[in-house]
Amino acid sequence: MTSLKIETINVGYPGKPVLTGVSLPEIPPGSLVGVLGPNGVGKSTLLRALAGLGPYTGTALLNGENLNGMSHFRRAQRVGYLPQALPQETSLVAYEAVLSACRAVRPDLAKTRIDAAVERVFDMLDIRPLAFQALNKMSGGQRQMVGLAQVIVRRPSVMLLDEPTSALDLRWQLTVLDTVRMILGRHEGLCLMALHDINLAIRHCDFIALFGDGRLLAFGPPAEAVTSDILSQAYGIAGRVETCSRGLPFVVTEPTQPIFPPTGQ
Amino acid sequence: MSGADNLADTGAPLATGYRRFVTRRMVWLCALAAALCLTTVVNVMTGPAGFSLGQVIDGLLHPDALEPGAYVILWEVRLPFALMAIVVGACLGLAGAEMQTVLNNPLASPQTLGVMYAATLGASLAIVFNLAAPLGLPETYVVPVFAFAGAIASAAVILLLSRVYGATVDTVILFGIALVFALQALIQLIQFVADSDSLQQIVFWTMGSLTRATWEKVAIVGAVFALCLPASIRQVWAMTALRGGEDYARSYGVAVDRLRLTVLLRVSAMTAVAVAFTGVIGFVGLVGPHIARLALGEDHRFFLPGSALAGAVILSGASLIGKSLVPGVLIPDGIVTALIGIPLFLALLISQKRRG
């Protein structure tokens, strides 16, 4: 059972605060939290800070234990972070990349258990055909899937995924979200996922944390957190949340001015 | 996702496919080791007084049965030369590979980033100003210490500039090039003020040669390599993880800054002893890792030993060419490695480009 609580966290760089006073109530086990907000608002900075790759002030408690009080290695075993940047183009094959991620975090694990864990993650993400392909011969989307496999193979309590679907087509976006859901259901971990597709987030996340103007604007179940007012405040757009015939919510936006000038004039 | 590799499409466990993959890499490592044995044996056989393979084996097994002249040639000249080529080549190959990984730059090597010239500067200072005398120690030990001090100082400068200015892959190389020019100017300045004996020593040294090899020097370089290799092997998973990207490695708990520091210390030590006893031998640290990368990929369990072996094969081969090209003339090894290293490097780049 994993729980995460964030109390008045400030993230940023020396002399340049990015997000201030971010507090999230205790997130229940098995939850998928969508982290949304406009470009540059600080979604990545927040996830990096929680992963231990950047500084923050305030308190983040993982199962009651302060994240900042953990050693770097112990935190890496509990928190799995997928950076926004894709894995580098190297001549490592996908199997080696996933294996090295597992070995770096769990050096004491028996070889047979590591083999089984690697095998499982390739099947789970349906990327078996990529196993012996070099990363420098892959498309961006394929590398992003390998990066995700590197996180999942470690079975962290908390997954911090920074735009894990940015290079993926619709089919693979759904595979990623379904897989993350399945893992959360099995292990009762947690996932904070930065996303830009607000409809994807509303559809798949249990909670939405929406940021704007350097602070948390709203947090809660999608239907509560995503409102016309909040969308206007965060993105400066006119939008509303509607429900389709199957009862699923989606955001309809209305451009304030035409993107392209009318043709034929 | 689509991807083509029959190892993954057979339906067999991936671990089985990976074992076959690993076996292929082990075969490549064995091939490199075999090539090293071959070049070393031919290296020992080749020279103005040629030995047959039988004579070499007899001489190695029964040194007492050799005539005094043959004994000196085999045991005091050929073997130290051949073994020095192996240990220096291995040091430079391993140093280049580790440097390319931690600086995330395929052009990084002890030579291109100035570490080798900094070691040369330190050693030149020790020779010209006879720094061994006031310390009361033999030159064999003092020169490597000053070479190491120079090497570590230059590695620290690169690291510092990279960190302070958040240098990218390209700017690290530019720092290195600037450092090379500055160090070369300082070496020339020392040559300018040196007396004729020291000047001759330094000039000969900047050409890089194995001819000053002795058993004692082979043992020192070999000992440094034997200390560095296990330390490198202990960090193979961290270095492999680093190839995926710095943020990825950090998120696995790899202490990247500490890794960089320990690697640059090792690189400095290996470069310093190599340069102190043989002079500037370029391109081995650059080309060796590229050959290993092509054959073995970047899983550092194979890549690091492969780079050391490739470096040793290149220098051993260069030593062989250096004494066979013009009968009776021993062309300095640094000149040969540069002459064969540049076309070899270009050929590797072109073949990589063609293979996409």
Side-chain angles (χ1 to χ4, degrees):
Chain A
M1 297 282 275
T2 304
S3 68
L4 180 69
K5 191 177 180 186
I6 291 173
E7 293 169 352
T8 351
I9 272 186
N10 305 304
V11 296
Y13 308 98
K16 191 189 169 201
V18 177
L19 285 173
T20 52
V22 177
S23 292
L24 299 181
E26 188 158 319
I27 302 164
S31 300
L32 174 56
V33 180
V35 178
L36 303 181
N39 289 327
V41 77
K43 303 183 294 289
S44 298
T45 314
L46 175 67
L47 295 186
R48 274 177 64 86
L50 292 174
L53 276 70
Y56 70 80
T57 57
T59 311
L61 300 171
L62 177 60
N63 296 333
E65 191 180 354
N66 195 337
L67 275 180
N68 259 351
M70 290 182 192
S71 72
H72 197 52
F73 186 68
R74 188 171 147 80
R75 188 192 274 204
Q77 287 187 317
R78 281 156 183 73
V79 180
Y81 169 63
L82 177 70
Q84 190 177 16
L86 303 178
Q88 282 187 167
E89 293 185 35
T90 73
S91 55
L92 279 178
V93 298
Y95 192 95
E96 289 168 332
V98 177
L99 186 68
S100 68
C102 195
R103 285 296 300 262
V105 176
R106 303 197 171 278
D108 51 335
L109 214 58
K111 189 179 172 301
T112 48
R113 289 187 63 189
I114 290 179
D115 286 346
V118 174
E119 181 100 26
R120 201 164 43 239
V121 79
F122 273 89
D123 285 338
M124 213 183 262
L125 289 169
D126 198 14
I127 53 169
R128 214 180 156 85
L130 298 182
F132 299 108
Q133 201 171 323
L135 266 73
N136 58 13
K137 300 277 191 292
M138 289 183 188
S139 70
Q142 289 173 326
R143 275 189 288 137
Q144 193 161 39
M145 291 301 282
V146 174
L148 188 63
Q150 289 179 296
V151 175
I152 293 173
V153 76
R154 292 145 51 191
R155 293 186 64 176
S157 306
V158 175
M159 287 188 281
L160 305 171
L161 310 180
D162 196 352
E163 297 189 33
T165 58
S166 61
L168 302 176
D169 63 35
L170 186 60
R171 181 252 198 258
W172 290 101
Q173 289 180 24
L174 296 175
T175 300
V176 167
L177 286 158
D178 289 345
T179 307
V180 170
R181 268 251 156 264
M182 184 181 72
I183 292 165
L184 294 177
R186 266 190 207 168
H187 306 303
E188 298 202 310
L190 283 172
C191 179
L192 268 64
M193 186 185 285
L195 286 168
H196 271 303
D197 188 333
I198 199 160
N199 283 318
L200 205 64
I202 289 176
R203 190 77 53 86
H204 291 271
C205 296
D206 302 301
F207 298 97
I208 299 287
L210 222 158
F211 294 89
D213 290 334
R215 65 194 170 91
L216 179 68
L217 296 176
F219 177 81
E224 291 172 22
V226 184
T227 63
S228 303
D229 283 349
I230 293 291
L231 288 174
S232 166
Q233 232 178 311
Y235 297 99
I237 57 161
R240 62 185 187 281
V241 182
E242 293 189 354
T243 308
C244 74
S245 56
R246 290 173 58 204
L248 298 169
F250 64 98
V251 170
V252 180
T253 55
E254 291 159 12
T256 50
Q257 56 185 30
I259 296 168
F260 301 106
T263 53
Q265 286 181 20
Chain B
M1 288 214 159
S2 63
D5 199 296
N6 52 9
L7 287 174
D9 292 338
T10 55
L14 288 179
T16 309
Y18 186 58
R19 271 197 287 279
R20 287 206 290 273
F21 198 72
V22 167
T23 306
R24 284 210 295 253
R25 293 191 163 169
M26 292 303 288
V27 169
W28 269 110
L29 274 180
C30 292
L32 279 171
L36 181 58
C37 289
L38 185 70
T39 51
T40 304
V41 170
V42 179
N43 211 354
V44 173
M45 288 162 56
T46 311
F51 287 120
S52 69
L53 181 61
Q55 284 172 312
V56 170
I57 293 170
D58 271 353
L60 290 176
L61 295 176
H62 311 289
D64 299 338
L66 283 171
E67 287 177 18
Y71 179 87
V72 169
I73 292 171
L74 184 63
W75 282 90
E76 302 299 331
V77 180
R78 299 273 177 86
L79 275 175
F81 276 33
L83 294 179
M84 196 66 162
I86 294 175
V87 288
V88 167
C91 275
L92 294 177
L94 181 62
E98 291 201 69
M99 228 173 168
Q100 288 176 12
T101 294
V102 295
L103 296 176
N104 189 25
N105 196 318
L107 291 176
S109 80
Q111 190 188 20
T112 51
L113 292 190
V115 179
M116 197 171 261
Y117 294 101
T120 305
L121 178 66
S124 304
L125 283 169
I127 291 173
V128 172
F129 298 107
N130 193 20
L131 297 172
L135 294 171
L137 291 167
E139 202 175 69
T140 312
Y141 298 102
V142 172
V143 173
V145 168
F146 275 87
F148 177 70
I152 195 75
S154 73
V157 167
I158 293 165
L159 201 61
L160 194 72
L161 289 173
S162 307
R163 289 188 63 178
V164 170
Y165 296 105
T168 61
V169 169
D170 298 332
T171 42
V172 168
I173 283 292
L174 291 176
F175 284 149
I177 290 169
L179 204 59
V180 167
F181 282 119
L183 290 165
Q184 279 181 333
L186 287 171
I187 293 166
Q188 283 169 351
L189 185 66
I190 290 175
Q191 288 175 353
F192 183 68
V193 299
D195 60 44
S196 57
D197 282 350
S198 302
L199 181 62
Q200 195 181 11
Q201 211 176 337
I202 295 173
V203 168
F204 186 62
W205 200 19
T206 52
M207 292 176 186
S209 172
L210 298 166
T211 52
R212 280 154 293 179
T214 62
W215 283 108
E216 190 185 15
K217 290 173 181 174
V218 170
I220 293 172
V221 183
V224 169
F225 180 71
L227 284 172
C228 289
L229 184 65
S232 306
I233 297 296
R234 269 203 298 278
Q235 292 178 317
V236 286
W237 288 112
M239 281 193 259
T240 304
L242 190 57
R243 288 304 297 131
E246 190 167 329
D247 272 1
Y248 283 86
R250 282 187 199 279
S251 76
Y252 309 151
V254 175
V256 175
D257 292 337
R258 202 170 63 201
L259 178 70
R260 281 209 175 102
L261 194 67
T262 53
V263 164
L264 288 178
L265 274 172
R266 278 201 297 273
V267 166
S268 302
M270 289 190 283
T271 308
V273 287
V275 167
F277 296 137
T278 60
V280 178
I281 292 182
F283 288 96
V284 176
L286 183 66
V287 179
H290 278 275
I291 291 173
R293 192 175 285 115
L294 273 179
L296 301 158
E298 286 182 287
D299 180 338
H300 281 56
R301 288 177 299 164
F302 309 104
F303 176 55
L304 292 186
S307 297
L309 278 171
V313 171
I314 293 170
L315 193 51
S316 202
S319 163
L320 188 58
I321 293 170
K323 60 184 169 183
S324 328
L325 217 53
V326 184
V329 176
L330 210 57
I331 302 172
D333 303 277
I335 296 173
V336 180
T337 55
L339 286 176
I340 62 169
I342 295 167
L344 191 62
F345 186 59
L346 288 175
L348 283 175
L349 287 180
I350 292 166
S351 77
Q352 265 178 317
K353 193 101 180 161
R354 278 196 186 140
R355 294 195 316 170

